[in-house]
Every structure is written in structure tokens, then in C-alpha cells.
Amino acid sequence: MEALLAPFADAAVPSGSRFVDVPPDVAARVLDAVDPALADGRPNGDQPSMRWLVDVARELDGRLAGSLSWGDLRFDAVQVQGRPAWSALLERLACDWPSEATTGAVAELWSGWDAVRPYWAGHAGEALAAARSDGGVLGLWWD
């Protein structure tokens, strides 16, 4: 797992335990190496399963973020670009995980993949109304 995720280590986190911009195919290979109960379970009781995050990222040409600390893996964020993908992600979330669509997921809007920080953060259900344009990146994450 560590070797697969090493190229995606977040430079802003000195320990190297956080990873960003992970392509869904890499994330799927990582999940194949863990206990299915972990991959298909709900890590904190709130977020969708890691497998769901990977699947939706694959379908919408998105990316994933998460952490690996002391052997404990957690994908806890998915990002997609452009309003059609944002809408599809939010629709899937509302359909598959209704409680997360309004209160569970934290949403962030970024001007693009290379943005240093989001220009907006709030609940997932508010994201489309807060968007400055139809471009940029929508990220959803769970604590």
C-alpha cells in the first residue's frame, strides 16, 4: 500500500501520512490489498464506503484523498471537476447515502486542480449554489 500511495504524498503534511490526487485505479489496487470489511465498511460511521468513493471517482474522472498511518488506511475524500460531474456526484450521494447529502459531507470548491486552497466550504447540499463558475473542482470529505 505504501509504495502505491507514495507518489501521492501530500507535501504539506511532513509525516507523509496524507495523500492527495490519487487516481481511482491506484486507489482500487490499494483497496484490493485490504480486508473487504474495511473497503466496504463505513470508516467513521458517517462517510460512504471507501469502495463507493473509488467507484464514483472512476465514473466521474475524479481523484481521491486520504491517509495511511501506522497501517490504517482511509480514503475520506473525492474530488471531481466541472458542473456536470459535480451534479452527478451530488445526485449519487443523495441517492446512495441520503443523510450525507445534506449534513454529513463537507464540500469544498476549488478554482482548479492546482489551487492552493478552496474558495468556498460548506455542506454538500449548498455547493452548486455557491459555485463561481461551471469549472473548477468540487471536493467532498468526511472527518
Side-chain angles (χ1 to χ4, degrees), residues 95-126:
C95 183
D96 297 347
W97 307 96
S99 65
E100 299 309 307
T102 55
T103 59
V106 175
E108 295 176 334
L109 289 167
W110 304 71
S111 60
W113 290 116
D114 59 351
V116 176
R117 63 185 46 89
Y119 67 80
W120 177 87
H123 291 294
E126 304 164 343

PDB file of all heavy atoms in Angstrom, residues 95-126:
ATOM      1  N   CYS A  95     -28.727   9.845  -3.543  1.00  0.00           N
ATOM      2  CA  CYS A  95     -29.421   8.579  -3.804  1.00  0.00           C
ATOM      3  C   CYS A  95     -28.888   7.448  -2.922  1.00  0.00           C
ATOM      4  O   CYS A  95     -29.655   6.716  -2.309  1.00  0.00           O
ATOM      5  CB  CYS A  95     -29.273   8.226  -5.274  1.00  0.00           C
ATOM      6  SG  CYS A  95     -30.148   6.732  -5.755  1.00  0.00           S
ATOM      7  N   ASP A  96     -27.565   7.325  -2.871  1.00  0.00           N
ATOM      8  CA  ASP A  96     -26.945   6.190  -2.180  1.00  0.00           C
ATOM      9  C   ASP A  96     -26.755   6.408  -0.684  1.00  0.00           C
ATOM     10  O   ASP A  96     -26.741   5.452   0.086  1.00  0.00           O
ATOM     11  CB  ASP A  96     -25.586   5.876  -2.810  1.00  0.00           C
ATOM     12  CG  ASP A  96     -25.697   5.434  -4.257  1.00  0.00           C
ATOM     13  OD1 ASP A  96     -26.816   5.127  -4.720  1.00  0.00           O
ATOM     14  OD2 ASP A  96     -24.659   5.415  -4.948  1.00  0.00           O
ATOM     15  N   TRP A  97     -26.548   7.646  -0.262  1.00  0.00           N
ATOM     16  CA  TRP A  97     -26.263   7.972   1.136  1.00  0.00           C
ATOM     17  C   TRP A  97     -27.032   9.250   1.505  1.00  0.00           C
ATOM     18  O   TRP A  97     -26.438  10.301   1.705  1.00  0.00           O
ATOM     19  CB  TRP A  97     -24.764   8.191   1.345  1.00  0.00           C
ATOM     20  CG  TRP A  97     -23.930   7.062   0.848  1.00  0.00           C
ATOM     21  CD1 TRP A  97     -23.307   6.972  -0.362  1.00  0.00           C
ATOM     22  CD2 TRP A  97     -23.628   5.850   1.538  1.00  0.00           C
ATOM     23  NE1 TRP A  97     -22.641   5.771  -0.466  1.00  0.00           N
ATOM     24  CE2 TRP A  97     -22.819   5.064   0.687  1.00  0.00           C
ATOM     25  CE3 TRP A  97     -23.972   5.358   2.790  1.00  0.00           C
ATOM     26  CZ2 TRP A  97     -22.351   3.811   1.061  1.00  0.00           C
ATOM     27  CZ3 TRP A  97     -23.492   4.102   3.149  1.00  0.00           C
ATOM     28  CH2 TRP A  97     -22.697   3.346   2.292  1.00  0.00           C
ATOM     29  N   PRO A  98     -28.354   9.217   1.585  1.00  0.00           N
ATOM     30  CA  PRO A  98     -29.163  10.429   1.742  1.00  0.00           C
ATOM     31  C   PRO A  98     -28.766  11.345   2.899  1.00  0.00           C
ATOM     32  O   PRO A  98     -28.753  12.561   2.736  1.00  0.00           O
ATOM     33  CB  PRO A  98     -30.575   9.901   1.941  1.00  0.00           C
ATOM     34  CG  PRO A  98     -30.561   8.491   1.513  1.00  0.00           C
ATOM     35  CD  PRO A  98     -29.153   8.017   1.552  1.00  0.00           C
ATOM     36  N   SER A  99     -28.428  10.793   4.045  1.00  0.00           N
ATOM     37  CA  SER A  99     -28.089  11.670   5.174  1.00  0.00           C
ATOM     38  C   SER A  99     -26.797  12.436   4.942  1.00  0.00           C
ATOM     39  O   SER A  99     -26.617  13.542   5.448  1.00  0.00           O
ATOM     40  CB  SER A  99     -27.990  10.866   6.475  1.00  0.00           C
ATOM     41  OG  SER A  99     -26.908   9.961   6.409  1.00  0.00           O
ATOM     42  N   GLU A 100     -25.898  11.861   4.153  1.00  0.00           N
ATOM     43  CA  GLU A 100     -24.627  12.535   3.882  1.00  0.00           C
ATOM     44  C   GLU A 100     -24.784  13.693   2.902  1.00  0.00           C
ATOM     45  O   GLU A 100     -23.975  14.599   2.859  1.00  0.00           O
ATOM     46  CB  GLU A 100     -23.611  11.538   3.317  1.00  0.00           C
ATOM     47  CG  GLU A 100     -23.295  10.415   4.261  1.00  0.00           C
ATOM     48  CD  GLU A 100     -22.909  10.908   5.634  1.00  0.00           C
ATOM     49  OE1 GLU A 100     -22.000  11.743   5.744  1.00  0.00           O
ATOM     50  OE2 GLU A 100     -23.541  10.479   6.610  1.00  0.00           O
ATOM     51  N   ALA A 101     -25.828  13.670   2.104  1.00  0.00           N
ATOM     52  CA  ALA A 101     -26.019  14.691   1.073  1.00  0.00           C
ATOM     53  C   ALA A 101     -26.331  16.054   1.668  1.00  0.00           C
ATOM     54  O   ALA A 101     -26.051  17.074   1.056  1.00  0.00           O
ATOM     55  CB  ALA A 101     -27.122  14.274   0.120  1.00  0.00           C
ATOM     56  N   THR A 102     -26.902  16.079   2.856  1.00  0.00           N
ATOM     57  CA  THR A 102     -27.283  17.364   3.424  1.00  0.00           C
ATOM     58  C   THR A 102     -26.441  17.776   4.619  1.00  0.00           C
ATOM     59  O   THR A 102     -26.180  18.947   4.816  1.00  0.00           O
ATOM     60  CB  THR A 102     -28.757  17.358   3.847  1.00  0.00           C
ATOM     61  OG1 THR A 102     -28.973  16.263   4.732  1.00  0.00           O
ATOM     62  CG2 THR A 102     -29.665  17.217   2.644  1.00  0.00           C
ATOM     63  N   THR A 103     -26.012  16.822   5.431  1.00  0.00           N
ATOM     64  CA  THR A 103     -25.314  17.217   6.649  1.00  0.00           C
ATOM     65  C   THR A 103     -23.964  16.551   6.858  1.00  0.00           C
ATOM     66  O   THR A 103     -23.105  17.121   7.506  1.00  0.00           O
ATOM     67  CB  THR A 103     -26.178  16.908   7.888  1.00  0.00           C
ATOM     68  OG1 THR A 103     -26.450  15.501   7.905  1.00  0.00           O
ATOM     69  CG2 THR A 103     -27.473  17.687   7.852  1.00  0.00           C
ATOM     70  N   GLY A 104     -23.751  15.364   6.344  1.00  0.00           N
ATOM     71  CA  GLY A 104     -22.540  14.624   6.671  1.00  0.00           C
ATOM     72  C   GLY A 104     -21.293  15.054   5.946  1.00  0.00           C
ATOM     73  O   GLY A 104     -20.217  15.148   6.530  1.00  0.00           O
ATOM     74  N   ALA A 105     -21.411  15.311   4.663  1.00  0.00           N
ATOM     75  CA  ALA A 105     -20.234  15.621   3.854  1.00  0.00           C
ATOM     76  C   ALA A 105     -19.900  17.108   3.925  1.00  0.00           C
ATOM     77  O   ALA A 105     -20.786  17.954   3.843  1.00  0.00           O
ATOM     78  CB  ALA A 105     -20.473  15.230   2.407  1.00  0.00           C
ATOM     79  N   VAL A 106     -18.631  17.381   4.042  1.00  0.00           N
ATOM     80  CA  VAL A 106     -18.145  18.749   3.898  1.00  0.00           C
ATOM     81  C   VAL A 106     -17.770  18.920   2.438  1.00  0.00           C
ATOM     82  O   VAL A 106     -17.101  18.069   1.859  1.00  0.00           O
ATOM     83  CB  VAL A 106     -16.917  19.008   4.794  1.00  0.00           C
ATOM     84  CG1 VAL A 106     -16.344  20.394   4.533  1.00  0.00           C
ATOM     85  CG2 VAL A 106     -17.290  18.850   6.258  1.00  0.00           C
ATOM     86  N   ALA A 107     -18.235  20.006   1.843  1.00  0.00           N
ATOM     87  CA  ALA A 107     -17.924  20.280   0.438  1.00  0.00           C
ATOM     88  C   ALA A 107     -16.951  21.442   0.363  1.00  0.00           C
ATOM     89  O   ALA A 107     -17.012  22.371   1.169  1.00  0.00           O
ATOM     90  CB  ALA A 107     -19.201  20.624  -0.324  1.00  0.00           C
ATOM     91  N   GLU A 108     -16.059  21.368  -0.605  1.00  0.00           N
ATOM     92  CA  GLU A 108     -15.145  22.470  -0.896  1.00  0.00           C
ATOM     93  C   GLU A 108     -15.140  22.702  -2.398  1.00  0.00           C
ATOM     94  O   GLU A 108     -15.172  21.757  -3.172  1.00  0.00           O
ATOM     95  CB  GLU A 108     -13.726  22.147  -0.436  1.00  0.00           C
ATOM     96  CG  GLU A 108     -13.593  22.009   1.054  1.00  0.00           C
ATOM     97  CD  GLU A 108     -12.202  21.604   1.489  1.00  0.00           C
ATOM     98  OE1 GLU A 108     -11.466  20.964   0.706  1.00  0.00           O
ATOM     99  OE2 GLU A 108     -11.854  21.917   2.633  1.00  0.00           O
ATOM    100  N   LEU A 109     -15.122  23.965  -2.779  1.00  0.00           N
ATOM    101  CA  LEU A 109     -14.990  24.334  -4.184  1.00  0.00           C
ATOM    102  C   LEU A 109     -13.623  24.965  -4.387  1.00  0.00           C
ATOM    103  O   LEU A 109     -13.216  25.848  -3.617  1.00  0.00           O
ATOM    104  CB  LEU A 109     -16.091  25.327  -4.582  1.00  0.00           C
ATOM    105  CG  LEU A 109     -17.489  24.722  -4.665  1.00  0.00           C
ATOM    106  CD1 LEU A 109     -18.544  25.823  -4.751  1.00  0.00           C
ATOM    107  CD2 LEU A 109     -17.595  23.791  -5.867  1.00  0.00           C
ATOM    108  N   TRP A 110     -12.927  24.490  -5.398  1.00  0.00           N
ATOM    109  CA  TRP A 110     -11.588  24.937  -5.738  1.00  0.00           C
ATOM    110  C   TRP A 110     -11.614  25.499  -7.161  1.00  0.00           C
ATOM    111  O   TRP A 110     -12.361  25.004  -7.999  1.00  0.00           O
ATOM    112  CB  TRP A 110     -10.614  23.770  -5.681  1.00  0.00           C
ATOM    113  CG  TRP A 110     -10.587  23.045  -4.368  1.00  0.00           C
ATOM    114  CD1 TRP A 110     -11.557  22.237  -3.848  1.00  0.00           C
ATOM    115  CD2 TRP A 110      -9.548  23.070  -3.403  1.00  0.00           C
ATOM    116  NE1 TRP A 110     -11.175  21.751  -2.626  1.00  0.00           N
ATOM    117  CE2 TRP A 110      -9.939  22.248  -2.331  1.00  0.00           C
ATOM    118  CE3 TRP A 110      -8.301  23.698  -3.352  1.00  0.00           C
ATOM    119  CZ2 TRP A 110      -9.139  22.047  -1.215  1.00  0.00           C
ATOM    120  CZ3 TRP A 110      -7.510  23.485  -2.242  1.00  0.00           C
ATOM    121  CH2 TRP A 110      -7.929  22.674  -1.192  1.00  0.00           C
ATOM    122  N   SER A 111     -10.791  26.467  -7.445  1.00  0.00           N
ATOM    123  CA  SER A 111     -10.778  27.039  -8.793  1.00  0.00           C
ATOM    124  C   SER A 111     -10.220  26.072  -9.831  1.00  0.00           C
ATOM    125  O   SER A 111     -10.523  26.184 -11.013  1.00  0.00           O
ATOM    126  CB  SER A 111      -9.991  28.346  -8.816  1.00  0.00           C
ATOM    127  OG  SER A 111      -8.655  28.119  -8.416  1.00  0.00           O
ATOM    128  N   GLY A 112      -9.438  25.111  -9.421  1.00  0.00           N
ATOM    129  CA  GLY A 112      -8.871  24.116 -10.329  1.00  0.00           C
ATOM    130  C   GLY A 112      -8.051  23.110  -9.546  1.00  0.00           C
ATOM    131  O   GLY A 112      -7.877  23.229  -8.336  1.00  0.00           O
ATOM    132  N   TRP A 113      -7.513  22.113 -10.242  1.00  0.00           N
ATOM    133  CA  TRP A 113      -6.721  21.071  -9.584  1.00  0.00           C
ATOM    134  C   TRP A 113      -5.481  21.637  -8.910  1.00  0.00           C
ATOM    135  O   TRP A 113      -5.001  21.089  -7.918  1.00  0.00           O
ATOM    136  CB  TRP A 113      -6.291  19.995 -10.587  1.00  0.00           C
ATOM    137  CG  TRP A 113      -7.411  19.131 -11.089  1.00  0.00           C
ATOM    138  CD1 TRP A 113      -7.841  19.058 -12.375  1.00  0.00           C
ATOM    139  CD2 TRP A 113      -8.221  18.227 -10.344  1.00  0.00           C
ATOM    140  NE1 TRP A 113      -8.883  18.160 -12.469  1.00  0.00           N
ATOM    141  CE2 TRP A 113      -9.134  17.630 -11.237  1.00  0.00           C
ATOM    142  CE3 TRP A 113      -8.276  17.861  -9.000  1.00  0.00           C
ATOM    143  CZ2 TRP A 113     -10.079  16.685 -10.838  1.00  0.00           C
ATOM    144  CZ3 TRP A 113      -9.221  16.919  -8.605  1.00  0.00           C
ATOM    145  CH2 TRP A 113     -10.098  16.346  -9.511  1.00  0.00           C
ATOM    146  N   ASP A 114      -4.938  22.728  -9.437  1.00  0.00           N
ATOM    147  CA  ASP A 114      -3.702  23.278  -8.887  1.00  0.00           C
ATOM    148  C   ASP A 114      -3.931  24.365  -7.838  1.00  0.00           C
ATOM    149  O   ASP A 114      -2.980  24.973  -7.356  1.00  0.00           O
ATOM    150  CB  ASP A 114      -2.812  23.807 -10.011  1.00  0.00           C
ATOM    151  CG  ASP A 114      -3.493  24.889 -10.834  1.00  0.00           C
ATOM    152  OD1 ASP A 114      -4.711  25.117 -10.659  1.00  0.00           O
ATOM    153  OD2 ASP A 114      -2.809  25.497 -11.673  1.00  0.00           O
ATOM    154  N   ALA A 115      -5.165  24.623  -7.450  1.00  0.00           N
ATOM    155  CA  ALA A 115      -5.453  25.647  -6.438  1.00  0.00           C
ATOM    156  C   ALA A 115      -4.833  25.256  -5.098  1.00  0.00           C
ATOM    157  O   ALA A 115      -4.773  24.080  -4.742  1.00  0.00           O
ATOM    158  CB  ALA A 115      -6.955  25.832  -6.287  1.00  0.00           C
ATOM    159  N   VAL A 116      -4.383  26.251  -4.363  1.00  0.00           N
ATOM    160  CA  VAL A 116      -3.739  26.019  -3.069  1.00  0.00           C
ATOM    161  C   VAL A 116      -4.764  25.841  -1.954  1.00  0.00           C
ATOM    162  O   VAL A 116      -4.535  25.109  -0.998  1.00  0.00           O
ATOM    163  CB  VAL A 116      -2.777  27.183  -2.743  1.00  0.00           C
ATOM    164  CG1 VAL A 116      -2.164  27.031  -1.372  1.00  0.00           C
ATOM    165  CG2 VAL A 116      -1.701  27.280  -3.809  1.00  0.00           C
ATOM    166  N   ARG A 117      -5.886  26.529  -2.073  1.00  0.00           N
ATOM    167  CA  ARG A 117      -6.934  26.414  -1.061  1.00  0.00           C
ATOM    168  C   ARG A 117      -8.290  26.605  -1.718  1.00  0.00           C
ATOM    169  O   ARG A 117      -8.399  27.214  -2.776  1.00  0.00           O
ATOM    170  CB  ARG A 117      -6.718  27.405   0.065  1.00  0.00           C
ATOM    171  CG  ARG A 117      -6.785  28.859  -0.319  1.00  0.00           C
ATOM    172  CD  ARG A 117      -6.453  29.823   0.824  1.00  0.00           C
ATOM    173  NE  ARG A 117      -5.276  29.478   1.583  1.00  0.00           N
ATOM    174  CZ  ARG A 117      -4.036  29.870   1.292  1.00  0.00           C
ATOM    175  NH1 ARG A 117      -3.832  30.646   0.258  1.00  0.00           N
ATOM    176  NH2 ARG A 117      -3.021  29.516   2.029  1.00  0.00           N
ATOM    177  N   PRO A 118      -9.340  26.098  -1.077  1.00  0.00           N
ATOM    178  CA  PRO A 118     -10.677  26.261  -1.642  1.00  0.00           C
ATOM    179  C   PRO A 118     -11.154  27.708  -1.518  1.00  0.00           C
ATOM    180  O   PRO A 118     -10.736  28.428  -0.620  1.00  0.00           O
ATOM    181  CB  PRO A 118     -11.534  25.325  -0.796  1.00  0.00           C
ATOM    182  CG  PRO A 118     -10.814  25.218   0.502  1.00  0.00           C
ATOM    183  CD  PRO A 118      -9.354  25.336   0.168  1.00  0.00           C
ATOM    184  N   TYR A 119     -12.038  28.110  -2.402  1.00  0.00           N
ATOM    185  CA  TYR A 119     -12.625  29.440  -2.285  1.00  0.00           C
ATOM    186  C   TYR A 119     -13.949  29.398  -1.532  1.00  0.00           C
ATOM    187  O   TYR A 119     -14.505  30.430  -1.173  1.00  0.00           O
ATOM    188  CB  TYR A 119     -12.779  30.121  -3.650  1.00  0.00           C
ATOM    189  CG  TYR A 119     -13.771  29.506  -4.613  1.00  0.00           C
ATOM    190  CD1 TYR A 119     -15.141  29.749  -4.503  1.00  0.00           C
ATOM    191  CD2 TYR A 119     -13.335  28.709  -5.657  1.00  0.00           C
ATOM    192  CE1 TYR A 119     -16.041  29.202  -5.392  1.00  0.00           C
ATOM    193  CE2 TYR A 119     -14.239  28.164  -6.557  1.00  0.00           C
ATOM    194  CZ  TYR A 119     -15.587  28.408  -6.419  1.00  0.00           C
ATOM    195  OH  TYR A 119     -16.479  27.879  -7.306  1.00  0.00           O
ATOM    196  N   TRP A 120     -14.468  28.187  -1.289  1.00  0.00           N
ATOM    197  CA  TRP A 120     -15.718  28.042  -0.534  1.00  0.00           C
ATOM    198  C   TRP A 120     -15.717  26.693   0.154  1.00  0.00           C
ATOM    199  O   TRP A 120     -15.195  25.715  -0.370  1.00  0.00           O
ATOM    200  CB  TRP A 120     -16.913  28.130  -1.488  1.00  0.00           C
ATOM    201  CG  TRP A 120     -18.228  27.930  -0.805  1.00  0.00           C
ATOM    202  CD1 TRP A 120     -18.996  28.880  -0.191  1.00  0.00           C
ATOM    203  CD2 TRP A 120     -18.931  26.690  -0.635  1.00  0.00           C
ATOM    204  NE1 TRP A 120     -20.133  28.300   0.343  1.00  0.00           N
ATOM    205  CE2 TRP A 120     -20.115  26.957   0.077  1.00  0.00           C
ATOM    206  CE3 TRP A 120     -18.667  25.382  -1.030  1.00  0.00           C
ATOM    207  CZ2 TRP A 120     -21.027  25.972   0.413  1.00  0.00           C
ATOM    208  CZ3 TRP A 120     -19.577  24.395  -0.695  1.00  0.00           C
ATOM    209  CH2 TRP A 120     -20.748  24.696   0.007  1.00  0.00           C
ATOM    210  N   ALA A 121     -16.318  26.637   1.343  1.00  0.00           N
ATOM    211  CA  ALA A 121     -16.517  25.374   2.060  1.00  0.00           C
ATOM    212  C   ALA A 121     -17.862  25.436   2.770  1.00  0.00           C
ATOM    213  O   ALA A 121     -18.265  26.494   3.269  1.00  0.00           O
ATOM    214  CB  ALA A 121     -15.395  25.120   3.056  1.00  0.00           C
ATOM    215  N   GLY A 122     -18.561  24.332   2.799  1.00  0.00           N
ATOM    216  CA  GLY A 122     -19.864  24.257   3.454  1.00  0.00           C
ATOM    217  C   GLY A 122     -20.422  22.857   3.327  1.00  0.00           C
ATOM    218  O   GLY A 122     -19.685  21.902   3.077  1.00  0.00           O
ATOM    219  N   HIS A 123     -21.727  22.716   3.473  1.00  0.00           N
ATOM    220  CA  HIS A 123     -22.374  21.413   3.337  1.00  0.00           C
ATOM    221  C   HIS A 123     -22.553  21.061   1.866  1.00  0.00           C
ATOM    222  O   HIS A 123     -22.752  21.931   1.025  1.00  0.00           O
ATOM    223  CB  HIS A 123     -23.733  21.411   4.033  1.00  0.00           C
ATOM    224  CG  HIS A 123     -23.626  21.492   5.518  1.00  0.00           C
ATOM    225  ND1 HIS A 123     -23.085  20.487   6.271  1.00  0.00           N
ATOM    226  CD2 HIS A 123     -23.969  22.472   6.380  1.00  0.00           C
ATOM    227  CE1 HIS A 123     -23.101  20.836   7.545  1.00  0.00           C
ATOM    228  NE2 HIS A 123     -23.630  22.039   7.634  1.00  0.00           N
ATOM    229  N   ALA A 124     -22.518  19.794   1.580  1.00  0.00           N
ATOM    230  CA  ALA A 124     -22.613  19.321   0.199  1.00  0.00           C
ATOM    231  C   ALA A 124     -23.846  19.855  -0.506  1.00  0.00           C
ATOM    232  O   ALA A 124     -23.787  20.234  -1.678  1.00  0.00           O
ATOM    233  CB  ALA A 124     -22.601  17.789   0.167  1.00  0.00           C
ATOM    234  N   GLY A 125     -24.975  19.916   0.182  1.00  0.00           N
ATOM    235  CA  GLY A 125     -26.209  20.372  -0.429  1.00  0.00           C
ATOM    236  C   GLY A 125     -26.202  21.821  -0.871  1.00  0.00           C
ATOM    237  O   GLY A 125     -27.070  22.250  -1.630  1.00  0.00           O
ATOM    238  N   GLU A 126     -25.224  22.600  -0.410  1.00  0.00           N
ATOM    239  CA  GLU A 126     -25.133  24.025  -0.750  1.00  0.00           C
ATOM    240  C   GLU A 126     -24.116  24.313  -1.849  1.00  0.00           C
ATOM    241  O   GLU A 126     -23.998  25.455  -2.294  1.00  0.00           O
ATOM    242  CB  GLU A 126     -24.729  24.813   0.499  1.00  0.00           C
ATOM    243  CG  GLU A 126     -25.646  24.609   1.685  1.00  0.00           C
ATOM    244  CD  GLU A 126     -25.032  25.083   2.997  1.00  0.00           C
ATOM    245  OE1 GLU A 126     -23.796  25.282   3.063  1.00  0.00           O
ATOM    246  OE2 GLU A 126     -25.786  25.251   3.952  1.00  0.00           O
TER     247      GLU A 126
END
